[in-house]
Amino acid sequence: MTDAELKTLARLDEMRTDEWGSRATLFIWLTVPNRSIGGAKPCDRLDLYADAIVASFHAEIAEPMNG
């Protein structure tokens, strides 16, 4: 993993709240195809689309999880 990818992961983890979900929930979110980055899995594009992934995650955590 590159330094840029690690920085992006750290940024996402800092944004995450316990109310939104655990780190495991974040890791699952990273493996699901994301329309904000052309249907790619965020984990596969951390180095190329860091800003778009962070923006997409911000939008995700802004909405309450449906349960």
Side-chain angles (χ1 to χ4, degrees):
M1 203 169 243
T2 67
D3 285 344
E5 291 170 321
L6 289 172
K7 286 180 184 177
T8 301
L9 282 175
R11 207 166 149 197
L12 295 172
D13 192 42
E14 288 173 3
M15 294 169 64
R16 178 190 60 79
T17 64
D18 289 337
E19 290 79 27
W20 179 79
S22 66
R23 280 190 177 144
T25 305
L26 171 60
F27 294 147
I28 292 167
W29 182 86
L30 287 165
T31 64
V32 175
N34 188 310
R35 292 193 296 174
S36 297
I37 55 172
K41 296 176 186 176
C43 63
D44 294 336
R45 300 288 191 260
L46 287 172
D47 56 340
L48 299 173
Y49 301 115
D51 291 338
I53 291 168
V54 169
S56 179
F57 187 65
H58 184 282
E60 173 74 22
I61 63 176
E63 293 292 323
M65 288 189 71
N66 295 325

